[in-house]
Amino acid sequence: MAKRKIAESDFLESSLPQTRRSQFFDILKNNLWIIFRLGLILLLFFLPLIIKSYFVDFLNVATIKAVKDGLLLEEEGNFWTRIIFIIANGIDLILYPLIFIGIAGVLRVLRQLVHSEGVMFSYLFKKGIKDNFKQYMLIGLFASILKFAINLFTAFYGFNNLTVSLLVIFMTIFVPIFVICVYYGLIYQNSFLITFRNSFFIYFKSFLPT
């Protein structure tokens, strides 16, 4: 039987973490194994994307080598590089929603930790997916569609002022809104459109603090 660790003194209200930073380290200290398990689960959901990225890099290197060895003309190499690029971004349309399903479950467990409540790991993880998988899948799909559109434009027209402008808009407007959507959806049960609309207004109403 495992030996239980007994506190040297009674628990006092002053022992509670007083700031968000102290709460973070308190959660980390007392729930390290749970956080480690959440990290492993996220890794599993990211694994298809990691494997895809490996094969994309492998194909790109093979294409460059084929051009250097004279097996492909430079124009043919550029063509196949673009095809690989487009297919890879198309696959992300499936992989991103999958990742966000995992995020839905992980955040539900983290929410319980932040509230300092008991954690039934499997139940909470499944509940997070059950309650939010549709909304989170749409967040991932919408983000991947925007990314795909920008990358497709870049693949055909290269980096120019318009491409850079699109990237800046995506990173400074849509990415923060998607992040707000993720946390908003964790608390409120609304449709994706309502969540996105409210996140949009929250972001621009408090642009600098956000």
Side-chain angles (χ1 to χ4, degrees):
M1 185 174 179
K3 184 178 180 181
R4 299 182 63 183
K5 185 177 180 181
I6 302 175
E8 296 179 357
S9 61
D10 292 336
F11 186 82
L12 302 174
E13 185 178 349
S14 59
S15 302
L16 292 170
Q18 302 298 315
T19 63
R20 291 183 179 180
R21 181 178 179 181
S22 60
Q23 183 186 26
F24 169 80
F25 286 106
D26 183 69
I27 292 172
L28 188 64
K29 175 184 176 182
N30 296 302
N31 302 279
L32 189 59
W33 172 238
I34 293 177
I35 295 173
F36 180 74
R37 289 171 66 188
L38 292 175
L40 287 179
I41 290 174
L42 272 183
L43 177 61
L44 289 176
F45 278 90
F46 271 92
L47 194 58
L49 183 65
I50 295 171
I51 294 173
K52 183 223 72 173
S53 299
Y54 170 80
F55 278 105
V56 168
D57 290 342
F58 175 80
L59 291 173
N60 282 328
V61 170
T63 302
I64 294 171
K65 187 175 184 302
V67 173
K68 288 184 177 180
D69 293 342
L71 299 176
L72 289 175
L73 297 174
E74 186 175 349
E75 292 78 8
E76 292 175 326
N78 291 334
F79 171 79
W80 284 113
T81 299
R82 286 181 179 178
I83 293 298
I84 294 169
F85 186 76
I86 292 170
I87 292 176
N89 280 273
I91 294 174
D92 287 347
L93 297 176
I94 300 173
L95 298 184
Y96 273 50
L98 176 64
I99 290 170
F100 273 81
I101 290 176
I103 291 174
V106 167
L107 287 181
R108 185 62 183 83
V109 178
L110 287 177
R111 173 186 170 184
Q112 199 80 355
L113 290 178
V114 171
H115 291 172
S116 299
E117 297 176 354
V119 174
M120 295 185 290
F121 193 95
S122 297
Y123 168 78
L124 288 172
F125 183 79
K126 293 175 183 177
K127 180 175 175 56
I129 292 178
K130 180 182 178 181
D131 292 345
N132 294 311
F133 82 95
K134 290 182 180 179
Q135 188 167 168
Y136 276 51
M137 278 183 65
L138 287 173
I139 293 172
L141 180 61
F142 192 22
S144 61
I145 288 173
L146 286 176
K147 180 176 116 14
F148 178 79
I150 294 173
N151 288 339
L152 186 65
F153 187 88
T154 304
F156 283 98
Y157 298 101
F159 281 99
N160 52 43
N161 291 335
L162 180 57
T163 304
V164 172
S165 298
L166 290 173
L167 286 171
V168 170
I169 291 172
F170 180 74
M171 295 301 297
T172 59
I173 296 180
F174 285 101
V175 169
I177 289 175
F178 289 143
V179 172
I180 295 173
C181 281
V182 167
Y183 289 102
Y184 189 94
L186 186 65
I187 301 171
Y188 303 103
Q189 297 295 320
N190 292 318
S191 68
F192 170 73
L193 291 178
I194 293 177
T195 297
F196 185 83
R197 182 199 65 187
N198 291 344
S199 299
F200 180 88
F201 287 132
I202 289 172
Y203 178 65
F204 282 101
K205 187 175 181 180
S206 55
F207 182 78
L208 292 177
T210 303

PDB file of all heavy atoms in Angstrom, residues 102-114:
ATOM      1  N   GLY A 102      -8.862  16.900 -30.623  1.00  0.00           N
ATOM      2  CA  GLY A 102      -8.029  16.594 -29.463  1.00  0.00           C
ATOM      3  C   GLY A 102      -7.916  17.768 -28.513  1.00  0.00           C
ATOM      4  O   GLY A 102      -7.946  17.599 -27.286  1.00  0.00           O
ATOM      5  N   ILE A 103      -7.798  18.967 -29.067  1.00  0.00           N
ATOM      6  CA  ILE A 103      -7.709  20.170 -28.235  1.00  0.00           C
ATOM      7  C   ILE A 103      -8.977  20.347 -27.401  1.00  0.00           C
ATOM      8  O   ILE A 103      -8.917  20.766 -26.244  1.00  0.00           O
ATOM      9  CB  ILE A 103      -7.451  21.406 -29.115  1.00  0.00           C
ATOM     10  CG1 ILE A 103      -6.037  21.346 -29.704  1.00  0.00           C
ATOM     11  CG2 ILE A 103      -7.634  22.700 -28.317  1.00  0.00           C
ATOM     12  CD1 ILE A 103      -5.727  22.443 -30.696  1.00  0.00           C
ATOM     13  N   ALA A 104     -10.140  20.003 -27.980  1.00  0.00           N
ATOM     14  CA  ALA A 104     -11.406  20.121 -27.245  1.00  0.00           C
ATOM     15  C   ALA A 104     -11.395  19.259 -25.988  1.00  0.00           C
ATOM     16  O   ALA A 104     -11.819  19.703 -24.910  1.00  0.00           O
ATOM     17  CB  ALA A 104     -12.571  19.715 -28.149  1.00  0.00           C
ATOM     18  N   GLY A 105     -10.902  18.035 -26.109  1.00  0.00           N
ATOM     19  CA  GLY A 105     -10.842  17.159 -24.941  1.00  0.00           C
ATOM     20  C   GLY A 105      -9.811  17.601 -23.928  1.00  0.00           C
ATOM     21  O   GLY A 105     -10.065  17.596 -22.711  1.00  0.00           O
ATOM     22  N   VAL A 106      -8.644  18.005 -24.403  1.00  0.00           N
ATOM     23  CA  VAL A 106      -7.560  18.426 -23.512  1.00  0.00           C
ATOM     24  C   VAL A 106      -7.952  19.668 -22.718  1.00  0.00           C
ATOM     25  O   VAL A 106      -7.725  19.743 -21.500  1.00  0.00           O
ATOM     26  CB  VAL A 106      -6.277  18.690 -24.333  1.00  0.00           C
ATOM     27  CG1 VAL A 106      -5.248  19.436 -23.496  1.00  0.00           C
ATOM     28  CG2 VAL A 106      -5.684  17.369 -24.825  1.00  0.00           C
ATOM     29  N   LEU A 107      -8.559  20.634 -23.380  1.00  0.00           N
ATOM     30  CA  LEU A 107      -8.930  21.871 -22.689  1.00  0.00           C
ATOM     31  C   LEU A 107     -10.015  21.645 -21.644  1.00  0.00           C
ATOM     32  O   LEU A 107     -10.067  22.359 -20.636  1.00  0.00           O
ATOM     33  CB  LEU A 107      -9.395  22.923 -23.706  1.00  0.00           C
ATOM     34  CG  LEU A 107      -8.299  23.556 -24.558  1.00  0.00           C
ATOM     35  CD1 LEU A 107      -8.888  24.593 -25.500  1.00  0.00           C
ATOM     36  CD2 LEU A 107      -7.226  24.203 -23.693  1.00  0.00           C
ATOM     37  N   ARG A 108     -10.866  20.644 -21.884  1.00  0.00           N
ATOM     38  CA  ARG A 108     -11.902  20.347 -20.873  1.00  0.00           C
ATOM     39  C   ARG A 108     -11.266  19.855 -19.581  1.00  0.00           C
ATOM     40  O   ARG A 108     -11.713  20.206 -18.480  1.00  0.00           O
ATOM     41  CB  ARG A 108     -12.887  19.306 -21.422  1.00  0.00           C
ATOM     42  CG  ARG A 108     -14.062  19.031 -20.484  1.00  0.00           C
ATOM     43  CD  ARG A 108     -14.881  20.298 -20.290  1.00  0.00           C
ATOM     44  NE  ARG A 108     -15.979  20.124 -19.354  1.00  0.00           N
ATOM     45  CZ  ARG A 108     -15.862  20.198 -18.024  1.00  0.00           C
ATOM     46  NH1 ARG A 108     -14.682  20.470 -17.478  1.00  0.00           N
ATOM     47  NH2 ARG A 108     -16.915  20.032 -17.244  1.00  0.00           N
ATOM     48  N   VAL A 109     -10.224  19.051 -19.701  1.00  0.00           N
ATOM     49  CA  VAL A 109      -9.516  18.579 -18.504  1.00  0.00           C
ATOM     50  C   VAL A 109      -8.777  19.739 -17.832  1.00  0.00           C
ATOM     51  O   VAL A 109      -8.813  19.884 -16.612  1.00  0.00           O
ATOM     52  CB  VAL A 109      -8.517  17.459 -18.871  1.00  0.00           C
ATOM     53  CG1 VAL A 109      -7.750  17.001 -17.633  1.00  0.00           C
ATOM     54  CG2 VAL A 109      -9.245  16.275 -19.503  1.00  0.00           C
ATOM     55  N   LEU A 110      -8.124  20.578 -18.644  1.00  0.00           N
ATOM     56  CA  LEU A 110      -7.406  21.731 -18.090  1.00  0.00           C
ATOM     57  C   LEU A 110      -8.351  22.697 -17.392  1.00  0.00           C
ATOM     58  O   LEU A 110      -8.003  23.291 -16.363  1.00  0.00           O
ATOM     59  CB  LEU A 110      -6.644  22.453 -19.204  1.00  0.00           C
ATOM     60  CG  LEU A 110      -5.404  21.754 -19.748  1.00  0.00           C
ATOM     61  CD1 LEU A 110      -4.807  22.549 -20.893  1.00  0.00           C
ATOM     62  CD2 LEU A 110      -4.364  21.563 -18.643  1.00  0.00           C
ATOM     63  N   ARG A 111      -9.538  22.853 -17.931  1.00  0.00           N
ATOM     64  CA  ARG A 111     -10.535  23.723 -17.296  1.00  0.00           C
ATOM     65  C   ARG A 111     -10.850  23.221 -15.888  1.00  0.00           C
ATOM     66  O   ARG A 111     -10.964  24.019 -14.946  1.00  0.00           O
ATOM     67  CB  ARG A 111     -11.801  23.748 -18.148  1.00  0.00           C
ATOM     68  CG  ARG A 111     -12.970  24.485 -17.509  1.00  0.00           C
ATOM     69  CD  ARG A 111     -14.221  24.342 -18.350  1.00  0.00           C
ATOM     70  NE  ARG A 111     -15.380  24.842 -17.642  1.00  0.00           N
ATOM     71  CZ  ARG A 111     -16.634  24.771 -18.096  1.00  0.00           C
ATOM     72  NH1 ARG A 111     -16.861  24.240 -19.277  1.00  0.00           N
ATOM     73  NH2 ARG A 111     -17.634  25.224 -17.390  1.00  0.00           N
ATOM     74  N   GLN A 112     -10.964  21.914 -15.738  1.00  0.00           N
ATOM     75  CA  GLN A 112     -11.238  21.339 -14.427  1.00  0.00           C
ATOM     76  C   GLN A 112     -10.086  21.595 -13.463  1.00  0.00           C
ATOM     77  O   GLN A 112     -10.299  21.882 -12.276  1.00  0.00           O
ATOM     78  CB  GLN A 112     -11.464  19.831 -14.572  1.00  0.00           C
ATOM     79  CG  GLN A 112     -12.186  19.195 -13.393  1.00  0.00           C
ATOM     80  CD  GLN A 112     -13.689  19.408 -13.455  1.00  0.00           C
ATOM     81  OE1 GLN A 112     -14.192  20.114 -14.327  1.00  0.00           O
ATOM     82  NE2 GLN A 112     -14.410  18.798 -12.521  1.00  0.00           N
ATOM     83  N   LEU A 113      -8.851  21.506 -13.966  1.00  0.00           N
ATOM     84  CA  LEU A 113      -7.686  21.779 -13.130  1.00  0.00           C
ATOM     85  C   LEU A 113      -7.662  23.233 -12.679  1.00  0.00           C
ATOM     86  O   LEU A 113      -7.358  23.533 -11.516  1.00  0.00           O
ATOM     87  CB  LEU A 113      -6.401  21.458 -13.901  1.00  0.00           C
ATOM     88  CG  LEU A 113      -6.105  19.981 -14.180  1.00  0.00           C
ATOM     89  CD1 LEU A 113      -4.822  19.852 -14.988  1.00  0.00           C
ATOM     90  CD2 LEU A 113      -6.000  19.195 -12.885  1.00  0.00           C
ATOM     91  N   VAL A 114      -7.956  24.144 -13.596  1.00  0.00           N
ATOM     92  CA  VAL A 114      -7.946  25.579 -13.278  1.00  0.00           C
ATOM     93  C   VAL A 114      -8.998  25.898 -12.218  1.00  0.00           C
ATOM     94  O   VAL A 114      -8.786  26.755 -11.345  1.00  0.00           O
ATOM     95  CB  VAL A 114      -8.181  26.415 -14.549  1.00  0.00           C
ATOM     96  CG1 VAL A 114      -8.396  27.884 -14.205  1.00  0.00           C
ATOM     97  CG2 VAL A 114      -6.998  26.270 -15.499  1.00  0.00           C
TER      98      VAL A 114
END
